[in-house]
Amino acid sequence: LSAQVYTQGGHLLCHDDVIGTRKISFIYYLTDPSEEWEASEGGALELYPPDAAAPRGTPAVTPSKEILPYADALVLFTVEPGVSFHA
């Protein structure tokens, strides 16, 4: 289990969470519940499919889904080497 804090302007590069035998990753958002998050503020979790035209283990350039960091939201996703890319 690990915890991270990302301040304004912070950004993760696209990656998968393949660490040891990890099978599931999760993100629990602790944003301020009194302020509704807007897409224009950034901070979305971006999920990327594999790029079918590239070598195995290469993510697509454009995310297939974006999930905003709403207060008290829990996001779970499977961890698959070369498949479960996110930023």
Side-chain angles (χ1 to χ4, degrees), residues 1-57:
L1 185 61
S2 67
Q4 307 297 324
V5 174
Y6 299 100
T7 57
Q8 186 173 359
H11 186 79
L12 286 177
L13 298 176
C14 187
H15 65 284
D16 62 20
D17 278 352
V18 177
I19 300 171
T21 59
R22 183 182 293 180
K23 300 293 181 195
I24 295 177
S25 285
F26 70 91
I27 298 171
Y28 180 63
Y29 291 107
L30 298 170
T31 54
D32 186 345
S34 68
E35 297 180 19
E36 187 69 23
W37 200 279
E38 301 292 332
S40 62
E41 295 177 275
L45 169 63
E46 301 168 328
L47 303 177
Y48 293 83
D51 185 339
R56 184 172 175 7

Side-chain angles (χ1 to χ4, degrees), residues 62-83:
T62 305
S64 58
K65 181 145 184 91
E66 294 184 0
I67 301 169
L68 291 177
Y70 293 123
D72 200 32
L74 176 67
V75 179
L76 297 146
F77 51 95
T78 59
V79 174
E80 297 180 58
V83 177

